[in-house]
Each structure stands twice: as C-alpha cells, then as structure tokens.
Amino acid sequence: MTNDNHKSAYRGVFPVAPTIFDEQGNLDLDGQRRCLDFMIDAGSDGICILANFSEQFVLSDDERTVLINTALEHVAGRVPVIVTTSHFSSRICAERSRSAQDAGAAMVMIMPPYHGATFRVAERGIEAFFKVVSDAIDIPIMIQDAPVSGTTLSAPFLAKMAKEIDNVSYFKIEVPQAAAKLRELIELGGSAILGPWDGEEAITLMADLDAGATGAMTGGGFPDGIRKIIDAYQAGHHEQAAEHYQQWLPLINFENRQGGLATCKTLMREGGIISCDAVRHPLQPMHPATRAGLMQIARRLDPLVLRWA
C-alpha cells in the first residue's frame, strides 16, 4: 500500500492544546475557546487536542466528545486539528478515530497499545492494531513514539508500517536520541514518511530539524517562539534559527524539565487568556516557586501569551 491519498503533508508547529478546567474541576468551554483562539493567533500551523499534555488520561469519554466537538466547531477550519485517540483496544481506538474523522479532524495521533507498567503487545500485534485503525478511517495516522508507553518501536518497524499500512504516515519521535531515529526512519521509509516530527516540547528541536523533521508538536504556551525557530530553519537561515533556539531554549527547557503540562495553562492564566490554570486532581498545582521561575524566564522573552488578552 501507499500513502497516495494524503497529497500534501502537514508541516510546521502543531502545539498541544491544554484542557481548561474551572476551580471546581469542570470543563471550562469558554476558556477552551479563548485558548484555541490564542494558539491560532500565536502562529500555530495546526493544533493537537486530547494529548497527554492535554491531560487526556483524566477525562471521561463524554468529556472527550464534548472537547472534540467544541474544538473543531470553534476552530472551524482555520487550522487543521489533530485528535489523539489512543486506547489499548484496537476496536475502541478505531471507533474513536472514526468519530474524530467524522467530526472534522485532519489527523489522529495514537500511541502503541500499552497498559500500566507491564501490559505490552508484541510487534505483530502492534502492526495489526494500526491496521485495524487504518481500515476504519481515511485520514492520516501519527504514531506517537514516546517513553510513556514503555514500548520499543524501532525505526525499521516504523518504516515497515508506513510502507504497508495505508494511513500510517506521520511519526512524533520523542525518545532519547530522537534525531538519530528520525534520520534512520527517513532513510528507511522514504516517501512513505510524510511527516517525521519532533516532540517533547521542542527540547531537541534543532537536532531534529537537522535530521529532517518537518513538524514539531510542542506545548501550547508559546507557538510564536517556536515559529521563529522553524520558519528561519525552513527558509534556509540555519544560523538565525540557532540564535532563536538559544533565545527560547531556557523557556523550552523549563517547560520540559520543571513545569511540565501545567506550564502552558500557567502562562495563559498569567496573560489573562483563561481565568483558571488548574490541573485535574490527583495532579498537583504548580509550586509557587516554580511558577515564579517560569514567569521570570517568560517575561524576558515577551511571548504573545502574556499580552494577547
């Protein structure tokens, strides 16, 4: 099989949208809409929803449906939206993916099937899993290759699936030595690899761009900063891209290593985009000292998130 049904590849900055809650832990859909508007105005080429940095693991199925419908209706085609549909069950993942496509998703992002610390599926089962999902939809699948799954996905195996499973064509690589893996994946997969993408909050972005990455899925707090890096790089201005990367790296690093998934919402709350930056229990709020460190770094850069509202 080939990926001929996906004519033009998605490229650029596709940050993860956080899920916005109120003080009682309920969905704040008005805040969600403002979050999406900001992310688009900040230069996002597309947006991903229901990812791990969206706290997808604390959401009910009904809430997932509400968020998908809210996001896709509000974005209204301004940018493409990727919906994360990961589930251990092939059937449920396929159903989620079909529902996302029917709602208007441009792509689905899926982790290999895993559960807890020990439940894993061998390569034959993983390949069959993605085949079941692919057969249920007509939009691209992005395989999320992340340490959280505890599943080793070798570059040869990923390339094999890209060549043999029609809709498997994008790969978000966020494992150690991501650049080397991206380079090998591109070499082995050739034209079947429509989207070799960087992940993990852009902490390895420059090395990944050098390896051939064409997209980046980052946190949602400062797409304007990430765009400066990628736009310069894709225009062939690699030294300028490196300068931008060095400028924004302290904030990228702080999100990746200190603030985690709370970072984006903390920035949005500080900038008045959302009224509550709560993460959902049992996740814990950001420590005041961590917040102070984040704001000290962010204010030096003057990102749009602090002045958009």
Side-chain angles (χ1 to χ4, degrees), residues 159-175:
K160 178 177 185 289
M161 287 196 289
K163 290 178 177 179
E164 296 181 359
I165 303 175
D166 190 32
N167 293 308
V168 172
S169 47
Y170 289 77
F171 301 86
K172 180 186 177 188
I173 306 298
E174 43 191 343
V175 294

Side-chain angles (χ1 to χ4, degrees), residues 199-220:
E200 204 186 2
E201 299 77 66
I203 194 69
T204 59
L205 179 58
M206 281 301 295
D208 293 346
L209 289 171
D210 286 340
T214 58
M217 189 175 291
T218 64

